[in-house]
Amino acid sequence: MTDTTKEEKPATVPEAKQAGETLERWRWVEPTVWTERMLSALERGVKGGKWYSLMDKVYALTNLESAFKEVKRRKGGAGVDQQTIEMFEHNLEENLRKVSEELASGRYRPRAIKRTWIPKPGSREKRPLGIPTVRDRVVQAALRHVLEPIFEREFAEQSYGFRPKRGCKDALRRVKKLLEAENHWVVDADLKSYFDTIPHERLIERVEERVSDGRIIGLLREYLNQEVMETMTSWRPEEGTPQGAVITPPTMLQTQ
């Protein structure tokens, strides 16, 4: 069997060597946020390894406009306020301006998440799905535009789940190469209710390793502690992330 000890500590995504290569590698990022100058800083690494003053990029109208287009493209139903994507779009300019002002002033607060249940593939069980309001989905998309590249830069080269420009076929190609190299051991593991049990403080600590903007951290805390409404009851989760939100991977395309 081929020696694979070099994979015990997965390598991170390799850095680009030239300016043109940098732009090509990060072609998927939101251009209204990640300018060529910011991408160069992303490749080189910022001072102290942490990013400051990011909130202004979240509430920039150009970013919010792009975020709404993303939310509209993914479709999905109304949240607890019963406002549909079409209703939000009817007064789009005013709605985005208001959200931008609330984020800039610190007055923005996410609304409750509507809890529903959907069938779990291959099982009789059902999976909880949280549906944020359209307004909150727009802000989450704008927030992801800012944060995703920062952490994507450091993710393992051999990971494929819920990452831009990567998917199941890429993972299968990797498996094929390993098999061709005469590696025949496969380990299959699953963490039960993983996204429902993510510890909030540990998650925030990991984000703080790269982000020092207190307003961004505060916004993330707001989302982690969002009220959840199901029929006539409501509660605030002490752990886990709502499956179905833009900033949490699973079932984000299945909002009803």
Side-chain angles (χ1 to χ4, degrees), residues 4 7 12 14 33 54 57 66 81 84 86 99 129 132 140 151 155 179 186 190 198 200-202 209 219 239:
T4 58
E7 291 192 289
T12 56
V33 174
L54 293 174
K57 297 168 180 58
S66 178
D81 60 357
T84 64
E86 292 73 21
V99 169
L129 183 68
Q140 289 180 6
F151 294 95
F155 287 159
L179 290 174
V186 176
D190 185 26
I198 292 176
H200 289 177
E201 286 307 313
R202 181 57 180 148
E209 291 176 5
L219 185 57
E239 62 180 4

Side-chain angles (χ1 to χ4, degrees), residues 68 85-93 95:
F68 172 76
I85 292 175
E86 292 73 21
M87 293 165 65
F88 190 91
E89 187 176 24
H90 184 69
N91 294 305
L92 182 61
E93 185 176 340
N95 285 332

Side-chain angles (χ1 to χ4, degrees), residues 111-202:
R111 292 164 185 161
I113 291 176
K114 183 170 72 174
R115 169 65 67 86
T116 188
W117 295 82
I118 60 174
K120 192 173 182 180
S123 172
R124 293 184 179 181
E125 297 180 12
K126 290 190 175 182
R127 184 193 304 275
L129 183 68
I131 306 178
T133 62
V134 175
R135 160 188 177 264
D136 291 337
R137 299 207 299 265
V138 170
V139 177
Q140 289 180 6
L143 178 61
R144 197 189 72 201
H145 288 168
V146 174
L147 293 182
E148 190 169 40
I150 294 174
F151 294 95
E152 172 65 20
R153 179 181 182 272
E154 300 189 30
F155 287 159
E157 178 67 17
Q158 287 95 347
S159 69
Y160 300 94
F162 311 115
R163 294 178 62 184
K165 302 301 180 182
R166 290 171 176 244
C168 294
K169 290 183 179 179
D170 299 301
L172 289 173
R173 292 188 190 99
R174 175 63 179 162
V175 170
K176 183 174 183 292
K177 288 182 179 179
L178 289 173
L179 290 174
E180 290 173 346
E182 299 183 1
N183 295 281
H184 302 305
W185 288 97
V186 176
V187 177
D188 182 17
D190 185 26
L191 300 178
K192 183 176 177 59
S193 301
Y194 172 70
F195 288 97
D196 294 327
T197 57
I198 292 176
H200 289 177
E201 286 307 313
R202 181 57 180 148

Side-chain angles (χ1 to χ4, degrees), residues 2-73:
T2 303
D3 181 12
T4 58
T5 55
K6 62 180 179 181
E7 291 192 289
E8 290 180 0
K9 184 178 180 181
T12 56
V13 178
E15 295 183 11
K17 303 299 182 182
Q18 301 177 356
E21 185 180 343
T22 297
L23 293 176
E24 180 62 30
R25 172 179 160 185
W26 298 102
R27 186 176 295 277
W28 57 269
V29 304
E30 173 52 46
T32 65
V33 174
W34 289 92
T35 63
E36 186 173 348
R37 180 181 62 82
M38 284 189 65
L39 288 177
S40 295
L42 183 64
E43 283 287 343
R44 295 194 311 269
V46 291
K47 185 177 181 181
K50 295 186 177 184
W51 290 79
Y52 298 82
S53 303
L54 293 174
M55 180 58 86
D56 61 313
K57 297 168 180 58
V58 174
Y59 64 69
L61 282 173
T62 50
N63 185 22
L64 291 172
E65 289 166 0
S66 178
F68 172 76
K69 291 178 182 178
E70 184 177 321
V71 170
K72 181 180 179 180
R73 184 172 64 253

